[in-house]
Amino acid sequence: MSILEVQNVNKSFGGLKALQNVNLKVEEGTIHAIIGPNGAGKSTLLNCLVGKLTPDTGSVTFDGVSLLGKKPYEINQTGVSRVFQTPEIFGDLTVYENVLIPCFGKRDGSFEMNALMSVNSQKDIRAKAEQMLEDVNMADKREMRASSLSRGDKRRLEMAMCLAQDPKLLLLDEPTAGMARADTNNTIALLAEIQERRHITMAVIEHDMHVVFSLAQRISVLAQGTVIVEDLPENIKGHPKVKEAYLGGAH
Amino acid sequence: MFGLNKKDSILMIAVAALALLAPFILNIFPNDSALAFFNAGYPDLMQRFVIFGIFAIGFNLLFGLTGYLSFGHAAFLGVGSYAAVWMFKLLNYNVVPAIVLSIVVAAAFSLVIGYISLRRSGIYFSILTLAFAQMMFVTAYSDLLGRWLGITLTNGETGLQVYNDDPQILLGNGPNVPHLFGLEMRAKEVWDIGPWEFTLPVGYYLCAVLMLASFYLAIRIFRSPFGLMLRAIKSNQTRLNYTGLNSKPYTLAVFVISGMYAGLAGGLLACMDPLAGAERMQWTASGEVVIMTILGGAGTLIGPILGSGAIKYLENVFSKLNEGLLHDWFGFMPDGLEGALVWVVSKFTGEGWHLTLGGLFMLVIIFLPGGLVEGGNKIRSWIQNRTGRGSPPADTASTPAE
């Protein structure tokens, strides 16, 4: 059963058609990769999913609910979490406090609002936040200021924050961009483990083919704003249309 | 203790001790010594220390935690004062209803102004709050609303005060000055100990107790999930939005809390001296609380209290200095030099004290962006380095102003 359905989505900026009749179905419990050359419209598509942009026409349905016209925080409340290309974390707060925020926040967007209760007195929430840090191997950095982390650690922290929400769908925008090989492999292992253990559906935008083919169970190839192929990874590898999109023209 | 961790308990006890012993600490110099000029233990001045402390603590909850710079906070102080004086006019001189009403009215005003202003952030938010405050100032100064309704609401530029023909329905035989169930605000105990003279005013202690309560509440807010949320708002609103949390209810809540602190301060000002004038709402008054908070250290617990104390103290000292006094001080110098020095220094004292304040503010912003608190931390770590105790971890409670 598909949990996310994108139908005939169009989006243009002035004269530039960023997305043209894009269709996408993400099956529940799978990792779906969206690949394509630079400027193919991958990030625009992701922005249309999370409410940062509104498609001109077409529909986006998640878990049977239309996401069109919803604000980002309302879309998140339906169960969609997003990891950004440049990590969006609370830089002024410590690593631990960063994870506390989504732990305090509940699915419906309300916040454990006991204004006079101290943060430290709420044991179950602290335990959950600590567990989250363990899961991404960052427990030893909990008192560091988040802005002083390395880029790979910021990304892992952001993943921990998204996972703390128990999302139904996790959107990842180039989760390994700018990472060293070892960090990339760690991230792949982390994502694979999360998927196996918690069955969270994921949609991944990625440039690194190593990551894509290690993780994805299904791949959509985007070029010039349209989905040119959608298939299983093994069929994508040698697909002539994909080669054409990446290498350009008929060579 | 009282739900505070060890560090905060120590801070709370230190502030309480300072506040309760202020009449002694501030009159440290014997009365007839040359340094008695630097004493600050007068009822009027001490009351201003703690009242503006309350104002700055409240302002810091908004600005220090969320980073929203309100440039119209004096408006809430002003309506607090007016509300308190109206209670005196209508009921009697008991301060309890006056203080309660001033908080309630300030909350109502800040709810409306906050609801509208918080639609924008950054500079636009500041400008919106400034515009509202100036509108309220003009309305109060010319009593526009009162004239429109055909009554005296703020009494224009004269200022609102209590007259003999006011209803005062509960007055009876009660005192004819502000009082707490009979205990007059202006009453004071004077202790003569040797060459020292200490004044313990009732009004000051009422303000001090309320300031301690406000401070305690502020610590609890800083350490609560609500405070964590507010710091998250300052840090990254995008992430907050993509975490399913709408920041507006939180910013509005803290804006109203902050407005209530200002209302309490305004009400207390009226309780100490039962009149209310529009100049309390002017933008310079709003600017003053911004300066106090930044000077002390925005986003820190103790910063606003230090800042308001420092500014009110320096204001008192510098504006009291006149040429006669300066001539006395510099009298030991050769005549020409003395004249020149007095001429220069006198430009920065008396009415020119704002020049001194401006210079001081610039120095702090440039060299100590974290305010007096950062200065204190620097000195402490410098001493610890000198004594070879190794460098301690930086104080995570202090976030420098940007």
Side-chain angles (χ1 to χ4, degrees):
Chain A
M1 199 198 105
S2 60
I3 191 163
L4 178 74
E5 235 173 287
V6 176
Q7 276 176 335
N8 297 323
V9 162
N10 286 283
K11 177 79 195 173
S12 45
F13 301 105
L16 176 76
K17 286 183 177 161
L19 296 176
Q20 296 178 56
N21 286 324
V22 170
N23 289 292
L24 183 73
K25 274 187 183 173
V26 178
E27 299 294 318
E28 195 165 358
T30 62
I31 299 184
H32 194 120
I34 301 162
I35 62 171
N38 280 328
K42 304 184 295 290
S43 291
T44 307
L45 178 60
L46 211 54
N47 285 338
C48 286
L49 301 183
V50 295
K52 198 171 175 185
L53 294 173
T54 314
D56 299 335
T57 57
S59 71
V60 179
T61 323
F62 173 72
D63 217 6
V65 186
S66 169
L67 297 186
L68 292 186
K70 284 198 165 149
K71 296 201 175 73
Y73 66 83
E74 291 168 331
I75 290 180
N76 180 279
Q77 286 167 16
T78 64
V80 183
S81 287
R82 174 177 180 182
V83 175
F84 285 79
Q85 197 174 349
T86 10
E88 292 278 1
I89 52 173
F90 303 113
D92 296 338
L93 274 53
T94 66
V95 168
Y96 177 58
E97 284 172 330
N98 265 274
V99 188
L100 272 177
I101 300 262
C103 290
F104 273 114
K106 284 186 276 186
R107 172 84 293 148
D108 60 354
S110 68
F111 192 75
E112 295 279 347
M113 268 286 291
N114 195 334
L116 291 181
M117 193 98 123
S118 116
V119 170
N120 287 325
S121 65
Q122 313 198 0
K123 292 213 171 58
D124 46 333
I125 287 169
R126 276 168 59 198
K128 187 179 174 192
E130 268 153 28
Q131 183 57 48
M132 282 295 138
L133 285 181
E134 293 281 338
D135 282 359
V136 295
N137 296 325
M138 289 190 66
D140 52 328
K141 301 193 170 101
R142 54 173 280 174
E143 292 307 325
M144 277 175 75
R145 252 173 94 101
S147 59
S148 65
L149 293 173
S150 73
R151 189 160 167 157
D153 279 347
K154 282 184 183 165
R155 183 80 46 61
R156 280 196 294 172
L157 173 61
E158 199 182 14
M159 272 178 211
M161 291 163 74
C162 287
L163 291 172
Q165 292 198 296
D166 297 314
K168 291 185 207 158
L169 172 66
L170 182 60
L171 301 172
L172 298 135
D173 195 350
E174 304 206 19
T176 64
M179 274 191 193
R181 195 86 224 170
D183 266 348
T184 304
N185 287 335
N186 284 341
T187 308
I188 293 172
L190 176 68
L191 289 175
E193 191 205 323
I194 290 164
Q195 213 268 333
E196 194 169 323
R197 195 150 46 93
R198 300 175 54 177
H199 305 288
I200 294 172
T201 315
M202 296 186 204
V204 187
I205 287 183
E206 189 54 74
H207 267 303
D208 189 333
M209 290 305 144
H210 170 59
V211 178
V212 171
F213 288 106
S214 322
L215 282 175
Q217 285 140 7
R218 203 160 178 90
I219 296 176
S220 295
V221 185
L222 216 61
Q224 290 168 347
T226 43
V227 177
I228 51 172
V229 190
E230 192 199 316
D231 214 330
L232 298 169
E234 50 267 36
N235 299 338
I236 293 286
K237 257 180 189 163
H239 203 289
K241 271 195 180 172
V242 178
K243 276 186 182 165
E244 192 188 312
Y246 269 91
L247 299 172
H251 284 282
Chain B
M1 189 188 71
F2 304 123
L4 302 182
N5 65 27
K6 194 165 160 245
K7 212 174 129 196
D8 293 338
S9 304
I10 294 171
L11 185 65
M12 184 73 215
I13 291 168
V15 171
L18 278 179
L20 298 179
L21 298 177
F24 304 100
I25 299 167
L26 294 174
N27 260 1
I28 195 85
F29 304 114
N31 238 11
D32 44 4
S33 74
L35 290 171
F37 176 76
F38 292 102
N39 278 340
Y42 331 114
D44 181 49
L45 186 58
M46 289 193 296
Q47 282 155 11
R48 253 183 298 151
F49 283 159
V50 283
I51 291 173
F52 282 91
I54 294 174
F55 190 22
I57 293 170
F59 180 78
N60 185 46
L61 284 177
L62 176 69
F63 175 59
L65 286 176
T66 67
Y68 278 78
L69 174 60
S70 162
F71 219 85
H73 243 53
F76 307 127
L77 183 104
V79 294
S81 284
Y82 281 119
V85 176
W86 267 109
M87 277 286 109
F88 295 150
K89 284 166 87 77
L90 295 177
L91 301 178
N92 65 2
Y93 270 116
N94 195 337
V95 296
V96 174
I99 291 173
V100 171
L101 188 75
S102 59
I103 297 176
V104 171
V105 171
F109 272 90
S110 49
L111 186 66
V112 175
I113 292 178
Y115 185 80
I116 299 169
S117 304
L118 286 166
R119 301 176 74 87
R120 291 283 169 270
S121 62
I123 186 75
Y124 303 103
F125 169 79
S126 303
I127 295 293
L128 280 173
T129 50
L130 175 63
F132 273 112
Q134 280 305 91
M135 277 156 60
M136 283 165 68
F137 165 70
V138 172
T139 309
Y141 190 75
S142 311
D143 204 358
L144 297 176
L145 192 61
R147 268 197 271 170
W148 183 63
L149 293 170
I151 53 166
T152 304
L153 194 65
T154 64
N155 206 16
E157 52 193 289
T158 325
L160 191 67
Q161 46 189 305
V162 185
Y163 297 108
N164 284 334
D165 57 351
D166 282 327
Q168 296 197 285
I169 49 174
L170 297 176
L171 187 63
N173 292 322
N176 222 356
V177 287
H179 64 88
L180 179 69
F181 300 110
L183 197 58
E184 288 181 17
M185 286 297 117
R186 63 176 187 195
K188 60 192 175 192
E189 187 88 6
V190 180
W191 290 359
D192 285 305
I193 305 173
W196 287 279
E197 188 191 280
F198 301 116
T199 314
L200 290 85
V202 171
Y204 167 73
Y205 277 104
L206 175 74
C207 297
V209 167
L210 287 173
M211 188 273 276
L212 292 175
S214 314
F215 184 59
Y216 173 72
L217 189 64
I219 300 182
R220 294 296 296 262
I221 290 176
F222 261 70
R223 299 289 177 246
S224 69
F226 178 55
L228 179 66
M229 182 73 183
L230 296 175
R231 286 192 291 139
I233 289 171
K234 181 179 184 177
S235 188
N236 190 341
Q237 291 224 27
T238 311
R239 175 35 78 196
L240 210 58
N241 262 321
Y242 288 101
T243 310
L245 296 162
N246 181 7
S247 62
K248 198 166 169 201
Y250 301 95
T251 45
L252 185 59
V254 78
F255 191 87
V256 173
I257 292 172
S258 173
M260 286 162 81
Y261 270 76
L264 170 64
L268 284 175
L269 279 177
C271 290
M272 298 304 116
D273 183 11
L275 50 86
E279 75 287 343
R280 268 179 207 166
M281 310 169 89
Q282 214 173 357
W283 69 272
T284 47
S286 301
E288 197 181 46
V289 72
V290 178
I291 294 177
M292 283 174 182
T293 308
I294 293 178
L295 191 80
T300 62
L301 282 167
I302 190 76
I305 299 178
L306 292 180
S308 61
I311 286 189
K312 285 293 158 193
Y313 179 73
L314 292 176
E315 177 182 31
N316 175 56
V317 167
F318 276 95
S319 51
K320 252 192 338 190
L321 274 177
N322 53 34
E323 288 202 22
L325 253 160
L326 288 172
H327 276 292
D328 282 352
W329 285 10
F330 297 123
F332 62 91
M333 291 179 175
D335 263 358
L337 186 61
E338 181 202 334
L341 209 58
V342 169
W343 185 82
V344 171
V345 174
S346 67
K347 297 290 168 276
F348 290 89
T349 57
E351 293 196 342
W353 115 266
H354 281 107
L355 284 177
T356 316
L357 174 65
L360 185 76
F361 186 62
M362 278 194 270
L363 286 178
V364 167
I365 291 295
I366 293 168
F367 295 106
L368 287 177
L372 296 176
V373 170
E374 190 192 339
N377 285 340
K378 276 190 175 166
I379 292 172
R380 204 174 56 196
S381 63
W382 183 75
I383 292 173
Q384 276 167 348
N385 278 337
R386 296 268 309 198
T387 53
R389 285 213 280 144
S391 59
D395 191 354
T396 48
S398 63
T399 320
E402 20 229 87

